[in-house]
Amino acid sequence: MALVAERDTKEMRGGVHSYPMAADAVCWAGGVGVLNAGYAEAASTATGLVCVGRIEESMDNTGGADGDLSVLVREGIFKFNNSAAADLIEQDDVGSIAYLVDDETVALTNG
């Protein structure tokens, strides 16, 4: 049944989560963080990655094994760089799926 009056809609806000880092991963604060087989790393165009949010602190696991370090990642909606040309996300694309180019850029397609 559609609303006929105001509704107190409950909200659950995203928080900050700690994820174990992938071996040899470097994560820069402010970049897009992803999980690759359960381990955090900076976003890239690789397939099978799960976007988990914005990296909250720079961490360098160079030379380390999977899980040697952990990184904090915040869930939410963030403004990242937009791709260009055919991959440019425009106003009528808002709310659609976006694809990762790198840890600071999103694109309209997975190309």
Side-chain angles (χ1 to χ4, degrees), residues 27-34 41-44 50-57 72-84 87-90 94 98-108:
C27 295
W28 294 104
V32 180
V34 297
E41 59 185 39
S44 66
V50 177
C51 184
V52 290
R54 181 188 67 206
I55 298 165
E56 290 295 287
E57 59 182 350
L72 296 177
V73 179
R74 181 178 300 276
E75 295 176 352
I77 299 171
F78 306 100
K79 183 177 180 180
F80 290 103
N81 292 336
N82 195 355
S83 199
D87 270 341
L88 182 72
I89 297 173
E90 300 189 63
V94 173
Y99 296 88
L100 298 168
V101 175
D102 53 36
D103 60 351
E104 67 171 351
T105 311
V106 294
L108 181 62

mmCIF file of all heavy atoms in Angstrom, residues 27-34 41-44 50-57 72-84 87-90 94 98-108:
data_model
loop_
_atom_site.group_PDB
_atom_site.id
_atom_site.type_symbol
_atom_site.label_atom_id
_atom_site.label_comp_id
_atom_site.label_asym_id
_atom_site.label_seq_id
_atom_site.Cartn_x
_atom_site.Cartn_y
_atom_site.Cartn_z
ATOM 1 N N CYS A 27 47.516 1.018 -0.017
ATOM 2 C CA CYS A 27 46.232 1.716 -0.017
ATOM 3 C C CYS A 27 46.454 3.154 0.439
ATOM 4 O O CYS A 27 47.014 3.375 1.512
ATOM 5 C CB CYS A 27 45.254 1.026 0.935
ATOM 6 S SG CYS A 27 44.787 -0.638 0.440
ATOM 7 N N TRP A 28 46.021 4.118 -0.379
ATOM 8 C CA TRP A 28 46.184 5.529 -0.058
ATOM 9 C C TRP A 28 44.892 6.085 0.515
ATOM 10 O O TRP A 28 43.806 5.829 -0.018
ATOM 11 C CB TRP A 28 46.578 6.315 -1.299
ATOM 12 C CG TRP A 28 47.929 5.934 -1.815
ATOM 13 C CD1 TRP A 28 48.209 5.157 -2.889
ATOM 14 C CD2 TRP A 28 49.186 6.303 -1.247
ATOM 15 N NE1 TRP A 28 49.571 5.019 -3.030
ATOM 16 C CE2 TRP A 28 50.191 5.719 -2.036
ATOM 17 C CE3 TRP A 28 49.565 7.083 -0.150
ATOM 18 C CZ2 TRP A 28 51.547 5.877 -1.765
ATOM 19 C CZ3 TRP A 28 50.924 7.246 0.111
ATOM 20 C CH2 TRP A 28 51.886 6.647 -0.689
ATOM 21 N N ALA A 29 44.993 6.867 1.576
ATOM 22 C CA ALA A 29 43.825 7.512 2.179
ATOM 23 C C ALA A 29 43.081 8.309 1.120
ATOM 24 O O ALA A 29 43.699 9.020 0.325
ATOM 25 C CB ALA A 29 44.247 8.412 3.336
ATOM 26 N N GLY A 30 41.782 8.162 1.085
ATOM 27 C CA GLY A 30 40.947 8.878 0.137
ATOM 28 C C GLY A 30 40.651 8.115 -1.135
ATOM 29 O O GLY A 30 39.809 8.525 -1.925
ATOM 30 N N GLY A 31 41.331 6.998 -1.342
ATOM 31 C CA GLY A 31 41.108 6.193 -2.543
ATOM 32 C C GLY A 31 39.980 5.201 -2.361
ATOM 33 O O GLY A 31 39.479 4.982 -1.256
ATOM 34 N N VAL A 32 39.581 4.571 -3.450
ATOM 35 C CA VAL A 32 38.549 3.540 -3.422
ATOM 36 C C VAL A 32 39.176 2.237 -2.945
ATOM 37 O O VAL A 32 40.184 1.788 -3.495
ATOM 38 C CB VAL A 32 37.926 3.318 -4.816
ATOM 39 C CG1 VAL A 32 36.852 2.244 -4.753
ATOM 40 C CG2 VAL A 32 37.348 4.613 -5.369
ATOM 41 N N GLY A 33 38.577 1.636 -1.929
ATOM 42 C CA GLY A 33 39.043 0.354 -1.422
ATOM 43 C C GLY A 33 38.166 -0.779 -1.911
ATOM 44 O O GLY A 33 36.940 -0.650 -1.982
ATOM 45 N N VAL A 34 38.789 -1.883 -2.259
ATOM 46 C CA VAL A 34 38.067 -3.072 -2.717
ATOM 47 C C VAL A 34 38.568 -4.298 -1.968
ATOM 48 O O VAL A 34 39.653 -4.278 -1.373
ATOM 49 C CB VAL A 34 38.257 -3.297 -4.243
ATOM 50 C CG1 VAL A 34 37.664 -2.142 -5.036
ATOM 51 C CG2 VAL A 34 39.714 -3.512 -4.604
ATOM 52 N N GLU A 41 42.564 -3.961 -0.960
ATOM 53 C CA GLU A 41 43.584 -3.359 -1.809
ATOM 54 C C GLU A 41 42.971 -2.149 -2.490
ATOM 55 O O GLU A 41 41.771 -1.902 -2.367
ATOM 56 C CB GLU A 41 44.119 -4.352 -2.844
ATOM 57 C CG GLU A 41 43.074 -4.915 -3.767
ATOM 58 C CD GLU A 41 43.626 -5.993 -4.698
ATOM 59 O OE1 GLU A 41 44.462 -6.814 -4.280
ATOM 60 O OE2 GLU A 41 43.205 -6.009 -5.870
ATOM 61 N N ALA A 42 43.786 -1.389 -3.207
ATOM 62 C CA ALA A 42 43.295 -0.238 -3.959
ATOM 63 C C ALA A 42 42.531 -0.721 -5.180
ATOM 64 O O ALA A 42 42.875 -1.738 -5.791
ATOM 65 C CB ALA A 42 44.469 0.644 -4.378
ATOM 66 N N ALA A 43 41.490 0.014 -5.553
ATOM 67 C CA ALA A 43 40.672 -0.352 -6.706
ATOM 68 C C ALA A 43 41.473 -0.352 -7.999
ATOM 69 O O ALA A 43 42.430 0.404 -8.159
ATOM 70 C CB ALA A 43 39.500 0.605 -6.831
ATOM 71 N N SER A 44 41.060 -1.216 -8.914
ATOM 72 C CA SER A 44 41.645 -1.307 -10.247
ATOM 73 C C SER A 44 40.553 -1.823 -11.179
ATOM 74 O O SER A 44 39.427 -2.053 -10.754
ATOM 75 C CB SER A 44 42.850 -2.255 -10.242
ATOM 76 O OG SER A 44 42.421 -3.578 -9.976
ATOM 77 N N VAL A 50 35.237 -6.453 -5.027
ATOM 78 C CA VAL A 50 34.051 -5.962 -4.339
ATOM 79 C C VAL A 50 34.385 -4.609 -3.727
ATOM 80 O O VAL A 50 35.264 -4.518 -2.856
ATOM 81 C CB VAL A 50 33.598 -6.948 -3.234
ATOM 82 C CG1 VAL A 50 32.418 -6.391 -2.471
ATOM 83 C CG2 VAL A 50 33.285 -8.309 -3.829
ATOM 84 N N CYS A 51 33.713 -3.568 -4.178
ATOM 85 C CA CYS A 51 33.962 -2.227 -3.654
ATOM 86 C C CYS A 51 33.410 -2.131 -2.233
ATOM 87 O O CYS A 51 32.263 -2.488 -1.979
ATOM 88 C CB CYS A 51 33.295 -1.196 -4.556
ATOM 89 S SG CYS A 51 33.647 0.493 -4.061
ATOM 90 N N VAL A 52 34.237 -1.665 -1.292
ATOM 91 C CA VAL A 52 33.800 -1.565 0.106
ATOM 92 C C VAL A 52 33.802 -0.144 0.640
ATOM 93 O O VAL A 52 33.325 0.103 1.740
ATOM 94 C CB VAL A 52 34.626 -2.495 1.033
ATOM 95 C CG1 VAL A 52 34.271 -3.953 0.755
ATOM 96 C CG2 VAL A 52 36.123 -2.264 0.883
ATOM 97 N N GLY A 53 34.334 0.846 -0.117
ATOM 98 C CA GLY A 53 34.259 2.226 0.341
ATOM 99 C C GLY A 53 35.536 3.008 0.145
ATOM 100 O O GLY A 53 36.389 2.656 -0.669
ATOM 101 N N ARG A 54 35.650 4.096 0.928
ATOM 102 C CA ARG A 54 36.803 5.005 0.852
ATOM 103 C C ARG A 54 37.835 4.618 1.907
ATOM 104 O O ARG A 54 37.525 4.468 3.087
ATOM 105 C CB ARG A 54 36.356 6.445 1.092
ATOM 106 C CG ARG A 54 37.504 7.447 1.001
ATOM 107 C CD ARG A 54 37.082 8.834 1.423
ATOM 108 N NE ARG A 54 36.777 8.826 2.856
ATOM 109 C CZ ARG A 54 35.944 9.676 3.445
ATOM 110 N NH1 ARG A 54 35.318 10.587 2.754
ATOM 111 N NH2 ARG A 54 35.734 9.611 4.748
ATOM 112 N N ILE A 55 39.069 4.488 1.487
ATOM 113 C CA ILE A 55 40.157 4.157 2.403
ATOM 114 C C ILE A 55 40.381 5.336 3.342
ATOM 115 O O ILE A 55 40.505 6.473 2.902
ATOM 116 C CB ILE A 55 41.434 3.808 1.615
ATOM 117 C CG1 ILE A 55 41.172 2.569 0.750
ATOM 118 C CG2 ILE A 55 42.616 3.599 2.551
ATOM 119 C CD1 ILE A 55 42.200 2.338 -0.320
ATOM 120 N N GLU A 56 40.424 5.074 4.635
ATOM 121 C CA GLU A 56 40.505 6.123 5.643
ATOM 122 C C GLU A 56 41.918 6.443 6.089
ATOM 123 O O GLU A 56 42.147 7.489 6.686
ATOM 124 C CB GLU A 56 39.674 5.726 6.874
ATOM 125 C CG GLU A 56 38.185 5.738 6.618
ATOM 126 C CD GLU A 56 37.668 7.129 6.323
ATOM 127 O OE1 GLU A 56 37.581 7.944 7.255
ATOM 128 O OE2 GLU A 56 37.367 7.416 5.154
ATOM 129 N N GLU A 57 42.851 5.565 5.824
ATOM 130 C CA GLU A 57 44.231 5.786 6.249
ATOM 131 C C GLU A 57 45.161 5.116 5.253
ATOM 132 O O GLU A 57 44.843 4.069 4.708
ATOM 133 C CB GLU A 57 44.470 5.190 7.640
ATOM 134 C CG GLU A 57 44.210 3.695 7.705
ATOM 135 C CD GLU A 57 44.381 3.088 9.075
ATOM 136 O OE1 GLU A 57 44.887 3.772 9.974
ATOM 137 O OE2 GLU A 57 44.015 1.918 9.232
ATOM 138 N N LEU A 72 41.555 0.672 7.418
ATOM 139 C CA LEU A 72 40.209 1.149 7.723
ATOM 140 C C LEU A 72 39.562 1.690 6.451
ATOM 141 O O LEU A 72 40.172 2.456 5.703
ATOM 142 C CB LEU A 72 40.256 2.251 8.779
ATOM 143 C CG LEU A 72 40.771 1.828 10.153
ATOM 144 C CD1 LEU A 72 40.836 3.041 11.082
ATOM 145 C CD2 LEU A 72 39.877 0.742 10.755
ATOM 146 N N VAL A 73 38.309 1.282 6.232
ATOM 147 C CA VAL A 73 37.555 1.699 5.060
ATOM 148 C C VAL A 73 36.173 2.164 5.515
ATOM 149 O O VAL A 73 35.522 1.498 6.313
ATOM 150 C CB VAL A 73 37.418 0.536 4.047
ATOM 151 C CG1 VAL A 73 36.613 0.963 2.831
ATOM 152 C CG2 VAL A 73 38.790 0.022 3.625
ATOM 153 N N ARG A 74 35.735 3.334 5.003
ATOM 154 C CA ARG A 74 34.427 3.888 5.368
ATOM 155 C C ARG A 74 33.416 3.639 4.246
ATOM 156 O O ARG A 74 33.676 3.941 3.094
ATOM 157 C CB ARG A 74 34.524 5.393 5.618
ATOM 158 C CG ARG A 74 33.188 6.028 6.023
ATOM 159 C CD ARG A 74 33.317 7.501 6.320
ATOM 160 N NE ARG A 74 34.247 7.772 7.404
ATOM 161 C CZ ARG A 74 33.929 7.723 8.697
ATOM 162 N NH1 ARG A 74 32.710 7.389 9.065
ATOM 163 N NH2 ARG A 74 34.842 8.008 9.613
ATOM 164 N N GLU A 75 32.260 3.084 4.630
ATOM 165 C CA GLU A 75 31.145 2.941 3.697
ATOM 166 C C GLU A 75 30.518 4.307 3.477
ATOM 167 O O GLU A 75 30.557 5.161 4.359
ATOM 168 C CB GLU A 75 30.070 2.032 4.287
ATOM 169 C CG GLU A 75 30.483 0.611 4.497
ATOM 170 C CD GLU A 75 29.388 -0.198 5.174
ATOM 171 O OE1 GLU A 75 28.370 0.382 5.612
ATOM 172 O OE2 GLU A 75 29.550 -1.411 5.264
ATOM 173 N N GLY A 76 29.932 4.522 2.317
ATOM 174 C CA GLY A 76 29.232 5.766 2.076
ATOM 175 C C GLY A 76 29.168 6.122 0.611
ATOM 176 O O GLY A 76 29.448 5.314 -0.269
ATOM 177 N N ILE A 77 28.794 7.364 0.368
ATOM 178 C CA ILE A 77 28.715 7.909 -0.986
ATOM 179 C C ILE A 77 29.779 8.992 -1.074
ATOM 180 O O ILE A 77 29.792 9.926 -0.269
ATOM 181 C CB ILE A 77 27.322 8.488 -1.268
ATOM 182 C CG1 ILE A 77 26.275 7.375 -1.142
ATOM 183 C CG2 ILE A 77 27.281 9.147 -2.646
ATOM 184 C CD1 ILE A 77 24.859 7.870 -1.186
ATOM 185 N N PHE A 78 30.675 8.860 -2.044
ATOM 186 C CA PHE A 78 31.820 9.754 -2.144
ATOM 187 C C PHE A 78 31.965 10.268 -3.564
ATOM 188 O O PHE A 78 31.547 9.616 -4.521
ATOM 189 C CB PHE A 78 33.106 9.020 -1.728
ATOM 190 C CG PHE A 78 33.010 8.391 -0.376
ATOM 191 C CD1 PHE A 78 32.763 7.037 -0.243
ATOM 192 C CD2 PHE A 78 33.129 9.158 0.771
ATOM 193 C CE1 PHE A 78 32.654 6.453 0.999
ATOM 194 C CE2 PHE A 78 33.022 8.588 2.021
ATOM 195 C CZ PHE A 78 32.781 7.231 2.148
ATOM 196 N N LYS A 79 32.580 11.416 -3.714
ATOM 197 C CA LYS A 79 32.813 12.005 -5.026
ATOM 198 C C LYS A 79 34.221 11.640 -5.497
ATOM 199 O O LYS A 79 35.214 12.080 -4.927
ATOM 200 C CB LYS A 79 32.669 13.528 -4.966
ATOM 201 C CG LYS A 79 32.826 14.171 -6.311
ATOM 202 C CD LYS A 79 32.612 15.670 -6.236
ATOM 203 C CE LYS A 79 32.787 16.291 -7.617
ATOM 204 N NZ LYS A 79 32.597 17.732 -7.572
ATOM 205 N N PHE A 80 34.267 10.837 -6.564
ATOM 206 C CA PHE A 80 35.535 10.456 -7.169
ATOM 207 C C PHE A 80 35.623 11.054 -8.569
ATOM 208 O O PHE A 80 34.655 11.617 -9.079
ATOM 209 C CB PHE A 80 35.687 8.927 -7.216
ATOM 210 C CG PHE A 80 35.882 8.327 -5.853
ATOM 211 C CD1 PHE A 80 34.854 7.678 -5.202
ATOM 212 C CD2 PHE A 80 37.101 8.440 -5.206
ATOM 213 C CE1 PHE A 80 35.032 7.151 -3.932
ATOM 214 C CE2 PHE A 80 37.298 7.920 -3.936
ATOM 215 C CZ PHE A 80 36.250 7.269 -3.306
ATOM 216 N N ASN A 81 36.757 10.942 -9.197
ATOM 217 C CA ASN A 81 36.927 11.450 -10.558
ATOM 218 C C ASN A 81 36.040 10.685 -11.517
ATOM 219 O O ASN A 81 35.806 9.483 -11.354
ATOM 220 C CB ASN A 81 38.386 11.335 -11.008
ATOM 221 C CG ASN A 81 39.290 12.271 -10.249
ATOM 222 O OD1 ASN A 81 38.857 13.281 -9.722
ATOM 223 N ND2 ASN A 81 40.566 11.930 -10.190
ATOM 224 N N ASN A 82 35.566 11.389 -12.552
ATOM 225 C CA ASN A 82 34.718 10.823 -13.584
ATOM 226 C C ASN A 82 35.574 10.518 -14.800
ATOM 227 O O ASN A 82 36.473 11.283 -15.146
ATOM 228 C CB ASN A 82 33.633 11.844 -13.934
ATOM 229 C CG ASN A 82 32.486 11.263 -14.719
ATOM 230 O OD1 ASN A 82 32.496 10.106 -15.106
ATOM 231 N ND2 ASN A 82 31.491 12.085 -14.969
ATOM 232 N N SER A 83 35.302 9.414 -15.453
ATOM 233 C CA SER A 83 36.024 9.062 -16.664
ATOM 234 C C SER A 83 35.673 10.058 -17.770
ATOM 235 O O SER A 83 34.958 11.029 -17.536
ATOM 236 C CB SER A 83 35.649 7.636 -17.070
ATOM 237 O OG SER A 83 36.604 7.099 -17.947
ATOM 238 N N ALA A 84 36.140 9.829 -18.975
ATOM 239 C CA ALA A 84 35.924 10.776 -20.068
ATOM 240 C C ALA A 84 35.330 10.068 -21.286
ATOM 241 O O ALA A 84 35.200 8.851 -21.319
ATOM 242 C CB ALA A 84 37.255 11.426 -20.434
ATOM 243 N N ASP A 87 32.939 6.870 -21.666
ATOM 244 C CA ASP A 87 32.807 6.351 -20.303
ATOM 245 C C ASP A 87 32.428 7.418 -19.283
ATOM 246 O O ASP A 87 32.389 7.147 -18.089
ATOM 247 C CB ASP A 87 34.104 5.670 -19.859
ATOM 248 C CG ASP A 87 34.107 4.198 -20.221
ATOM 249 O OD1 ASP A 87 33.021 3.644 -20.465
ATOM 250 O OD2 ASP A 87 35.190 3.598 -20.235
ATOM 251 N N LEU A 88 32.150 8.638 -19.739
ATOM 252 C CA LEU A 88 31.767 9.730 -18.854
ATOM 253 C C LEU A 88 30.404 9.444 -18.226
ATOM 254 O O LEU A 88 29.446 9.105 -18.921
ATOM 255 C CB LEU A 88 31.695 11.045 -19.642
ATOM 256 C CG LEU A 88 31.346 12.285 -18.846
ATOM 257 C CD1 LEU A 88 32.523 12.691 -17.959
ATOM 258 C CD2 LEU A 88 30.980 13.421 -19.788
ATOM 259 N N ILE A 89 30.315 9.564 -16.919
ATOM 260 C CA ILE A 89 29.037 9.417 -16.223
ATOM 261 C C ILE A 89 28.357 10.775 -16.222
ATOM 262 O O ILE A 89 28.925 11.756 -15.746
ATOM 263 C CB ILE A 89 29.243 8.899 -14.795
ATOM 264 C CG1 ILE A 89 29.864 7.497 -14.836
ATOM 265 C CG2 ILE A 89 27.930 8.898 -14.022
ATOM 266 C CD1 ILE A 89 30.269 6.954 -13.494
ATOM 267 N N GLU A 90 27.139 10.830 -16.771
ATOM 268 C CA GLU A 90 26.397 12.078 -16.867
ATOM 269 C C GLU A 90 25.198 12.057 -15.931
ATOM 270 O O GLU A 90 24.911 11.033 -15.293
ATOM 271 C CB GLU A 90 25.975 12.306 -18.313
ATOM 272 C CG GLU A 90 27.207 12.396 -19.245
ATOM 273 C CD GLU A 90 26.865 12.827 -20.635
ATOM 274 O OE1 GLU A 90 26.374 13.952 -20.772
ATOM 275 O OE2 GLU A 90 27.085 12.036 -21.560
ATOM 276 N N VAL A 94 23.035 8.911 -13.084
ATOM 277 C CA VAL A 94 23.062 8.881 -11.619
ATOM 278 C C VAL A 94 22.107 7.801 -11.127
ATOM 279 O O VAL A 94 20.969 7.697 -11.580
ATOM 280 C CB VAL A 94 22.699 10.255 -11.031
ATOM 281 C CG1 VAL A 94 22.552 10.172 -9.521
ATOM 282 C CG2 VAL A 94 23.756 11.290 -11.406
ATOM 283 N N ALA A 98 28.196 1.971 -11.622
ATOM 284 C CA ALA A 98 29.426 2.583 -12.109
ATOM 285 C C ALA A 98 30.536 1.538 -12.003
ATOM 286 O O ALA A 98 30.460 0.612 -11.194
ATOM 287 C CB ALA A 98 29.787 3.809 -11.276
ATOM 288 N N TYR A 99 31.547 1.699 -12.819
ATOM 289 C CA TYR A 99 32.662 0.752 -12.839
ATOM 290 C C TYR A 99 33.945 1.460 -12.411
ATOM 291 O O TYR A 99 34.120 2.651 -12.638
ATOM 292 C CB TYR A 99 32.819 0.153 -14.246
ATOM 293 C CG TYR A 99 31.618 -0.664 -14.628
ATOM 294 C CD1 TYR A 99 30.516 -0.076 -15.240
ATOM 295 C CD2 TYR A 99 31.573 -2.024 -14.349
ATOM 296 C CE1 TYR A 99 29.396 -0.832 -15.575
ATOM 297 C CE2 TYR A 99 30.451 -2.785 -14.676
ATOM 298 C CZ TYR A 99 29.365 -2.172 -15.288
ATOM 299 O OH TYR A 99 28.263 -2.923 -15.604
ATOM 300 N N LEU A 100 34.836 0.714 -11.793
ATOM 301 C CA LEU A 100 36.094 1.265 -11.309
ATOM 302 C C LEU A 100 37.148 1.266 -12.408
ATOM 303 O O LEU A 100 37.316 0.275 -13.117
ATOM 304 C CB LEU A 100 36.595 0.446 -10.125
ATOM 305 C CG LEU A 100 35.666 0.437 -8.912
ATOM 306 C CD1 LEU A 100 36.099 -0.622 -7.916
ATOM 307 C CD2 LEU A 100 35.629 1.803 -8.280
ATOM 308 N N VAL A 101 37.843 2.384 -12.519
ATOM 309 C CA VAL A 101 38.971 2.485 -13.434
ATOM 310 C C VAL A 101 40.258 2.300 -12.644
ATOM 311 O O VAL A 101 41.143 1.547 -13.027
ATOM 312 C CB VAL A 101 38.986 3.863 -14.145
ATOM 313 C CG1 VAL A 101 40.228 4.022 -15.010
ATOM 314 C CG2 VAL A 101 37.717 4.040 -14.967
ATOM 315 N N ASP A 102 40.328 3.013 -11.514
ATOM 316 C CA ASP A 102 41.461 2.913 -10.599
ATOM 317 C C ASP A 102 40.956 3.352 -9.230
ATOM 318 O O ASP A 102 39.743 3.404 -9.017
ATOM 319 C CB ASP A 102 42.657 3.739 -11.092
ATOM 320 C CG ASP A 102 42.300 5.188 -11.381
ATOM 321 O OD1 ASP A 102 41.464 5.767 -10.653
ATOM 322 O OD2 ASP A 102 42.859 5.760 -12.336
ATOM 323 N N ASP A 103 41.850 3.681 -8.312
ATOM 324 C CA ASP A 103 41.403 3.987 -6.956
ATOM 325 C C ASP A 103 40.905 5.420 -6.768
ATOM 326 O O ASP A 103 40.627 5.844 -5.659
ATOM 327 C CB ASP A 103 42.470 3.653 -5.920
ATOM 328 C CG ASP A 103 43.759 4.413 -6.105
ATOM 329 O OD1 ASP A 103 43.939 5.095 -7.125
ATOM 330 O OD2 ASP A 103 44.604 4.329 -5.196
ATOM 331 N N GLU A 104 40.751 6.168 -7.895
ATOM 332 C CA GLU A 104 40.167 7.510 -7.795
ATOM 333 C C GLU A 104 39.233 7.856 -8.956
ATOM 334 O O GLU A 104 38.740 8.961 -9.036
ATOM 335 C CB GLU A 104 41.257 8.571 -7.695
ATOM 336 C CG GLU A 104 42.105 8.729 -8.935
ATOM 337 C CD GLU A 104 43.029 9.934 -8.870
ATOM 338 O OE1 GLU A 104 42.906 10.764 -7.944
ATOM 339 O OE2 GLU A 104 43.879 10.046 -9.765
ATOM 340 N N THR A 105 38.954 6.896 -9.846
ATOM 341 C CA THR A 105 38.165 7.176 -11.040
ATOM 342 C C THR A 105 37.099 6.117 -11.276
ATOM 343 O O THR A 105 37.376 4.926 -11.149
ATOM 344 C CB THR A 105 39.085 7.240 -12.290
ATOM 345 O OG1 THR A 105 40.201 8.080 -12.012
ATOM 346 C CG2 THR A 105 38.344 7.762 -13.499
ATOM 347 N N VAL A 106 35.890 6.585 -11.648
ATOM 348 C CA VAL A 106 34.797 5.685 -11.993
ATOM 349 C C VAL A 106 34.402 5.927 -13.447
ATOM 350 O O VAL A 106 34.676 6.975 -14.015
ATOM 351 C CB VAL A 106 33.579 5.869 -11.064
ATOM 352 C CG1 VAL A 106 33.914 5.446 -9.646
ATOM 353 C CG2 VAL A 106 33.060 7.295 -11.100
ATOM 354 N N ALA A 107 33.736 4.933 -14.057
ATOM 355 C CA ALA A 107 33.342 5.016 -15.464
ATOM 356 C C ALA A 107 31.954 4.433 -15.659
ATOM 357 O O ALA A 107 31.450 3.674 -14.835
ATOM 358 C CB ALA A 107 34.356 4.257 -16.325
ATOM 359 N N LEU A 108 31.348 4.780 -16.790
ATOM 360 C CA LEU A 108 30.011 4.324 -17.123
ATOM 361 C C LEU A 108 29.976 2.866 -17.537
ATOM 362 O O LEU A 108 29.031 2.145 -17.257
ATOM 363 C CB LEU A 108 29.441 5.204 -18.251
ATOM 364 C CG LEU A 108 28.039 4.892 -18.715
ATOM 365 C CD1 LEU A 108 27.034 5.071 -17.582
ATOM 366 C CD2 LEU A 108 27.665 5.770 -19.906
#
